[in-house]
Every structure is written in C-alpha cells, then in structure tokens.
Amino acid sequence: MRQMIEDIELEVRYTAEMIGRHTLSDSVIDAMRRVPRHVFVDPALLDQAYDNNPLPIGYGQTISQPYMVAVMTDLLEPQSHQKVLEVGCGSGYQAAVLSLLVKQVISLEIISPLADSARRLLKEQGYHNVQVIQADGHFGWADQAPYDGIIVTAAPEEIPQPLIDQLAPGGHLIIPVGFHGIGQQLLDIYKAKDGSVSTKKRLPVRFVPLTGGDQAY
Ligand code: SAH
C-alpha cells in the first residue's frame, strides 16, 4: 500500500503540468490509503493488488490504475456534503474511494453481474452511502439529478448531453472521451454558477469504451 501511494505521488509529479497540480489533496490521498484495493481485485491477482496498474475484472473490463482513480477523484474536488454520480462502477473500487469523501455516491454499471457483485461487496465492506444501479450511464440517472460532480470511467466517443444536463452549477464532470485505441483525452468539464460550461483537456488516457447509448437522448 505504501508503495502504491508513493507511485501515485511520483506519477502526479511527472504529469503535474497536464493535471494542473503537483500534489493531490491530503483528503484524496487519505481515501486512497483507506480503501483496501485487494478486496476489489480478482483473487488470482492478489499479489498485484497494490501495483499502480489497471487489472482485469472479467467481462472484458478493468479496475482502473490507482493513479488514474486518484487524479480523477482530485479533479472532481469532492466535498463532504456532496452527491456524486459515477458512470462505470466495475469492481466498485472508485465508488469506495469517493464514498469516503462525499455524502452520497450513485454508481451506474451496465453489466448486470458486475453491478450485482460491486453492490454486494460495497455493502459487505461497509460503504453504506453508495447506491449501485444497473443502467446505461449514457443517460445519466435523472431520478437523483443534479449531481455536485460526475466521474465517468469508460470512454464515449462524444460527451453524452444528459451528463452535462445533470451536473449542478459549480460541479465538475471528469470524463475520458475519444476513440478506442486511437486517442482518448481525459476532460475536466466545469459548469460555472451561471450555468456556462468550460472544458479543459487534461491527459491522454486509455479507457474501455462506454457501451450502450443506442436510443436518442
Ligand atoms: N470504476 C471502475 C472501472 C471499471 S471499467 C472500477 O473502479 O473498477 C469501466 C466500467 O464501465 C465497466 O465495468 C463497464 O462495464 C462499464 N460501462 C461501460 N459502458 C457503460 C455504460 N454505458 N453505462 C454504465 N456502465 C458502463
């Protein structure tokens, strides 16, 4: 674990210019320290649980690299009174990290067995402020909108409009966008208090594709 935190901090320093910070906030590093990543990885890969790498979680999906989880969480600027939406629950690891930093986490997952296992695991591990919903995150989750922040952990080719609509003023939407295998960028989309939206390109990234989205919004 200590090595994982050091690896994250080192990679943050290497990428400081792109991500706009030399260090991550203490609260985010603390949350990364507190979540046992080994619980969220395949038991066959236990010896790699604290490596700074993505790992397979079945169904062609991955648990994100710890550095990426930490940076995306930091870019969100989470605060303890907030409600945030995650699209792409996967193993539930990112949701667990967020749950220590905000009041409420809604996490959408399109693959039913992954949603079921993440829901069960998060409950077992005591992350009671996370709600896992099996749904296509292209449409966000209008029932509980607006959200103080939104994190997307799979890459669409274009930003789904419902996610922008469901973001509260003053909130960040952190989302990888682009074509699989060609070039995706991690975007930090900020909705100002007056509702105007600005976008900062942060990092070249590599995420699994955001599937679904077949119907018109
Ligand atoms: N945050 C996860 C990373 C999982 S990888 C973790 O910490 O483990 C991305 C996840 O997004 C996959 O589980 C994939 O099934 C899911 N996904 C892909 N398209 C989706 C969509 N349209 N709606 C919801 N989830 C989606």
Side-chain angles (χ1 to χ4, degrees), residues 46-180:
L46 263 193
D47 58 330
Q48 299 172 54
Y50 294 96
D51 290 357
N52 188 23
N53 288 319
L55 293 170
I57 56 170
Y59 307 91
Q61 308 303 321
T62 52
I63 177 173
S64 302
Q65 181 195 13
Y67 158 81
M68 193 54 62
V69 172
V71 166
M72 290 176 75
T73 306
D74 204 71
L75 290 171
L76 196 71
E77 300 186 326
Q79 290 171 32
S80 56
H81 63 276
Q82 291 182 334
K83 173 171 64 177
V84 303
L85 177 71
E86 179 190 23
V87 174
C89 185
S91 66
Y93 177 68
Q94 169 79 76
V97 171
L98 287 170
S99 81
L100 298 180
L101 294 161
V102 301
K103 189 165 177 207
Q104 193 188 353
V105 181
I106 316 289
S107 185
L108 307 181
E109 172 55 53
I110 201 165
I111 298 177
S112 209
L114 283 178
D116 291 345
S117 61
R119 187 182 300 116
R120 185 167 23 83
L121 190 57
L122 287 162
K123 200 171 163 201
E124 265 170 30
Q125 294 290 317
Y127 298 101
H128 296 302
N129 58 342
V130 183
Q131 191 184 345
V132 180
I133 300 170
Q134 194 271 321
D136 180 354
H138 265 275
F139 306 100
W141 190 252
D143 284 19
Q144 300 196 51
Y147 301 98
D148 301 304
I150 303 179
I151 273 190
V152 184
T153 66
E157 291 173 4
E158 287 171 29
I159 303 161
Q161 185 61 38
L163 298 182
I164 293 178
D165 296 343
Q166 291 174 22
L167 185 64
H172 292 267
L173 163 60
I174 310 299
I175 181 169
V177 176
F179 295 98
H180 194 53

